[in-house]
């Protein structure tokens, strides 16, 4: 049963399992104690720290083990902000950071700080110079900037080294969230803080990394604790830490070969999915990307239903569609990129993924997508293509009589229905005519403009309606 | 090699090991995901929560898994204080809580809140009515009260049910730190919040428990996170959580029988150590106590040296002596009890401790203590007894000429030297005469009065000296 969601959590690496078992016997005691069991635990902890620091590219005394990547981010951001509080209270993050960063930013804002989000392009990538610009345009002195090494949803690698240089020039520390990329190599560039999460590389859950370069101001927040340089309170989870460090070293040994192999498998998906399935958009940077991750969105598809169909067929993948989120909003990453969110599928291949499983995925997917589209009554590709010589429908209430306008009431209907209904009627107005879609589903805000771009129509804009929002589209093709 | 420091960390229980291994294979995926690996992880997490909640005596939806007992305390206290912020900003804790509670209290104070410490008696126990009194005398409305179920250093059980009733009467939630007692049974009484730590009962490190009763106001602090009811951010550590719950159930099954057996072994230590070794004080409540834990202090003994000697002899124990702490201060528990801290030894027996190991400990200890005392030039018991008909020594500078007074300069000397020097000269002043000890070691503040109580002399008091502190003792025997 192929598991294609390594970016959420990777299965435990055999080396992690072996190291964990050994360390459970040797490393359960308190490393602060002076007796033999304590000294043994301390030795294991020190060795794990050295190994992990080497993989990160920092000094062992710069590296702290935290209980998770999320805690590393929360505590790292809070500590860096507190350490630089006298310098300023402004925080700069990219718009596509992990939600843990955005939640930390929201907490900072709630506490009276200010936050700026650096935008990304349609591939999800921060532009060179964007951090320099954000620091220049900041409302006050910037305490900290954050940038992921690579995006967790679309795989796009960020220009970390450039951003670090821009931050350095402005004397602002840069925190790099390396959760998705650390397995593939150390993060280059002159970063100040770095975080990661062991279960993303096949280590056990319960271990995050927080590196804070010497000289970076850092003030741990919250109650004092002597453990982990005062940066991560609580009894050390030595067995898991040992397993995390051992597996990081192990995956690094495989990294070059696996990166090449998985990149080729991902290229097959990137190339063939749009050929095999009509109306699919592959998103994310095609070159500057993680080797194992690809994301695409399928027009007229309900993401949750597609995930269920894939699960029934034995494939575990993830989605940024609104219907798969507890808040019923599309992923903030897809929103920031301004790309289609409906029928979104993220494939992230774990180490050792077999070629035949990828081939089977490619063989199955077209039928599954087609079945989901059929259930939703989506326009068939030939229909969509044929619709082109339609005449103006009845003028809707918003029409001033000047131009033909059709109103589609999709209120109360969830993604992808508003887009399907739009696609079905666009042929009914003449080229140059307007269609207004009334919708209250959040995904429409992203997917109607994305559909227009894919179909060559003009997205006129949105305005508040009596209920929901009115999205206006001008037929151009 | 007998390990007698279960109160620091217990070796992994075989059931925990087995459950951890199984859950590593079944529970590594993200329980928030809808595919089969995610659903399987969710099932494991739910089952673990039910089992742990049953052992705690709460509803599963009241129980959150945290990354450690320390984090459960830090986050539990912060959340309860934030949830009750409108009610008041006063916090009540006992003077002998775990340092994680006292550090959380210090953070609360640093943030503008107020804190009161409820004192304990010489056995380390809070008096009935003490919480009611603390709430009555509070400088403002109390947001939260905290009380441990049993003390981690001396094993004394606290009157939790009574304190909970007193808090309930004042409409103040009580948080119970059950870290040391949860293995032995659920905490009785009408508590509002409860915390615990899995590695104390033989579970793996990386798991704490935080129970918050329905209806208790709670506002998670820090950045938002959807996991664990928003109370414990970060990817769930399901393998460890499963192992923690399984081992808690397993130790509970052994609890009654093991409690009886270990209580008898601990009674041997309590009874025989003071018989075998002169000048030893067993501390903590003799009856209302944890079954597996006993603490005693040895006059004229350097705690760190004794621990090393015991370690060389194969016994791993812990100590609250100042010389074993990074801050060179005696444990705050011993200080709050006002008992001797020098030569302090805590023995906490893990489940399954063998009788012969306890017997061997009892057989070895007298020689080890005697050797350490010899190295320090401590007065031999007969000397200490013989010294009694001495004459007044030369009057020291502090002597006003009215009474015989001897000054001992112990400045720069660490525990137990100041007490040894005092013991050596007490016979040189007449009964009724004064000895002043000049010392700058923190332990002297605790150990000189404790020595006076043990020896029947009068502790007159302390006053600042040109360097360090002058402790005055009147010879009475």
């Amino acid at each position: 049963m192929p598991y294609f969601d390594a970016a959420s959590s990777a299965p435990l690496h055999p080396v992690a399992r072996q190291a964990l078992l050994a360390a459970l016997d040797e490393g359960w005691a308190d490393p602060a104690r002076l007796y033999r069991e304590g000294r043994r635990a301390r030795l294991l902890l020190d060795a794990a720290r050295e190994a992990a620091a080497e993989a990160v590219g920092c000094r062992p005394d710069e590296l702290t083990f935290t209980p998770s990547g999320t805690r590393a981010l929360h505590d790292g951001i809070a500590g860096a902000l507190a350490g630089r509080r006298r310098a300023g209270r402004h925080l700069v993050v990219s718009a596509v950071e992990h939600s843990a960063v955005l939640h930390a930013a929201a907490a900072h804002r709630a506490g009276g700080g200010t936050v700026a989000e650096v935008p990304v392009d349609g591939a999800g990538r921060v532009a060179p110079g964007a951090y320099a610009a954000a620091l220049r345009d900041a409302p006050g002195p910037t305490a900290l900037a954050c940038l992921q090494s690579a995006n967790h949803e679309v795989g796009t690698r960020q220009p970390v080294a450039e951003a670090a240089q821009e931050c350095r020039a402005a004397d602002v520390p840069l925190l790099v969230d390396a959760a998705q990329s650390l397995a593939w190599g150390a993060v280059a560039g002159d970063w100040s803080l770095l975080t990661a999460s062991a279960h993303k590389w096949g280590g056990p859950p319960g271990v995050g990394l927080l590196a804070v370069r010497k000289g970076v101001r850092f003030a741990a927040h919250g109650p004092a604790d002597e453990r982990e340089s005062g940066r991560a309170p609580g009894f050390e989870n030595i067995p898991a830490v040992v397993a995390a460090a051992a597996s990081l070293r192990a995956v690094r040994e495989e990294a070059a070969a696996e990166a090449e192999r998985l990149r080729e498998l991902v290229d097959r998906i990137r190339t063939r999915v749009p050929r095999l399935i009509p109306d699919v958009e592959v998103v994310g940077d095609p070159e500057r990307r993680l080797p194992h991750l690809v994301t695409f969105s399928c027009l007229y598809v309900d993401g949750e239903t597609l995930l269920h169909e894939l699960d029934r067929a034995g494939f575990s993948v993830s989605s940024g569609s609104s219907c798969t989120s507890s808040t019923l909003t599309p992923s903030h990453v897809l929103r920031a990129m301004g790309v289609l969110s409906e029928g979104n599928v993220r494939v992230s291949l774990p180490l050792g993924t077999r070629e035949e499983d990828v081939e089977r995925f490619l063989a199955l997917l077209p039928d599954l997508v087609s079945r989901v589209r059929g259930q939703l009554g989506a326009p068939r590709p030939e229909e969509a293509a044929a619709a082109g010589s339609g005449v103006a429908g009845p003028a809707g209430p918003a029409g001033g009589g000047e131009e033909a306008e059709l109103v589609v009431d999709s209120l109360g209907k969830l993604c992808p229905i508003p887009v399907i209904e739009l696609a079905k009627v666009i042929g009914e107005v003449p080229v140059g005519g307007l269609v207004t879609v009334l919708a209250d589903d959040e995904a429409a805000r992203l997917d109607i403009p994305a559909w227009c771009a894919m179909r060559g129509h003009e997205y006129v804009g949105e305005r508040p309606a009596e209920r929901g929002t009115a999205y206006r589209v001008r037929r151009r093709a």
Side-chain angles (χ1 to χ4, degrees), chain A:
Chain A
M1 307 298 259
Y3 174 81
F4 284 177
D5 197 23
S8 280
S9 189
L12 196 71
H13 193 283
V15 166
R17 189 187 169 91
Q18 208 173 3
L20 186 65
L21 279 178
L24 283 169
D25 296 332
E26 296 287 315
W28 51 269
D30 184 345
R33 299 292 175 187
L34 303 173
Y35 44 68
R36 110 190 51 82
E37 293 87 351
R39 296 192 303 268
R40 213 159 54 195
R42 168 65 54 193
L43 285 177
L44 286 175
L45 181 58
D46 290 346
R49 198 183 312 279
E50 273 181 39
E54 197 191 329
V56 166
C58 68
R59 288 164 36 170
D61 61 352
E62 294 173 332
L63 189 70
T64 296
F65 294 110
T66 70
S68 64
T70 298
R71 297 262 185 177
L73 282 169
H74 288 179
D75 295 351
I77 292 171
L81 286 171
R84 296 253 307 164
R85 188 162 173 151
R86 285 188 191 179
R89 300 214 60 201
H90 187 60
L91 171 65
V92 171
V93 302
S94 92
V96 295
E97 296 300 305
H98 189 274
S99 59
V101 173
L102 299 184
H103 288 149
H108 178 61
R109 199 185 272 120
T114 56
V115 179
E117 283 191 9
V118 175
V120 295
D121 62 19
R125 191 171 153 95
V126 161
Y131 272 68
L135 298 176
R136 202 172 47 235
D137 301 342
T142 301
L144 178 68
C146 301
L147 179 61
Q148 62 195 190
S149 55
N151 186 267
H152 50 298
E153 289 193 31
V154 299
T156 300
R157 283 187 182 274
Q158 303 293 354
V160 168
E162 292 85 335
Q165 213 165 8
E166 294 165 25
C167 290
R168 184 68 60 179
D171 208 17
V172 170
L174 178 72
L175 181 149
V176 177
D177 169 11
Q180 291 298 334
S181 79
L182 199 65
W184 303 109
V187 175
D190 193 12
W191 49 264
S192 296
L193 302 100
L194 182 143
T195 63
S197 175
H199 75 101
K200 305 282 190 193
W201 69 66
V207 183
L209 304 183
L210 170 61
V212 181
R213 292 262 192 229
K214 286 287 156 202
V216 173
R217 284 186 189 281
F218 193 93
H221 69 304
D225 193 275
E226 290 188 356
R227 297 177 191 270
E228 290 295 299
S229 315
R231 289 176 183 164
F235 188 74
E236 296 92 340
N237 190 348
I238 293 178
V241 156
V242 167
S247 54
L248 180 54
R249 187 184 288 208
V251 299
R252 279 288 183 79
E253 280 166 17
E254 312 166 54
E258 273 298 272
E260 194 177 345
R261 204 177 65 82
L262 296 182
R263 178 175 282 275
E264 194 276 318
L265 293 178
V266 160
D267 276 338
R268 294 190 201 184
I269 300 175
R270 292 188 73 91
T271 314
R272 281 161 57 190
V273 163
R275 278 190 215 146
L276 293 166
I277 305 170
D279 298 327
V280 162
E281 192 176 22
V282 178
V283 298
D285 196 295
E287 290 302 325
R288 293 167 296 193
R289 61 172 176 83
L290 294 171
H292 66 303
L293 196 155
V294 54
T295 299
F296 53 86
S297 298
C298 309
L299 213 51
Y300 316 136
V301 166
D302 168 8
E304 185 170 2
T305 306
L306 182 57
L307 254 54
H308 279 303
E309 292 286 340
L310 280 166
D311 179 49
R312 283 176 51 190
F315 290 91
S316 301
V317 301
S318 166
S319 168
S321 293
S322 57
C323 51
T324 62
S325 117
S326 60
T327 55
L328 289 180
T329 53
S331 114
H332 69 273
V333 172
L334 301 178
R335 270 184 288 158
M337 294 166 65
V339 294
L340 188 71
S341 81
E342 65 189 37
N344 183 262
V345 171
R346 178 184 72 182
V347 171
S348 52
L349 307 177
L351 298 181
T353 295
R354 297 181 309 171
E355 180 186 1
E356 62 251 46
D357 287 333
V358 172
E359 284 298 331
R360 200 151 58 79
F361 176 79
L362 286 168
L364 272 166
L365 192 66
D367 270 358
L368 296 185
V369 170
S370 168
R371 193 185 310 163
V372 175
R373 284 176 173 167
Q375 286 162 2
L376 291 168
R380 280 175 295 163
E382 52 271 37
E383 276 176 34
S389 56
V391 293
E402 303 152 14
E403 45 187 350
E405 173 152 5
L406 193 72
V407 175
V408 177
D409 181 352
S410 291
L411 290 166
K413 292 173 185 164
L414 294 179
C415 157
I417 302 299
V419 173
I420 289 176
E421 294 188 335
L422 167 61
K424 281 186 166 173
V425 303
I426 192 75
E428 293 174 24
V429 297
V431 172
L434 281 170
V435 176
T436 294
V437 182
L438 295 172
D440 47 15
D441 180 47
E442 267 300 308
R445 179 161 287 125
L446 188 56
D447 290 343
I448 289 177
W451 178 86
C452 290
M454 287 172 81
R455 279 284 173 274
H457 299 299
E458 178 191 345
Y459 177 63
V460 180
E462 61 164 88
R463 54 190 183 198
E466 210 175 315
R467 277 179 58 210
T469 304
Y471 300 93
R472 301 176 82 209
V473 172
R474 192 181 303 277
R475 181 176 170 196
R476 285 292 180 210

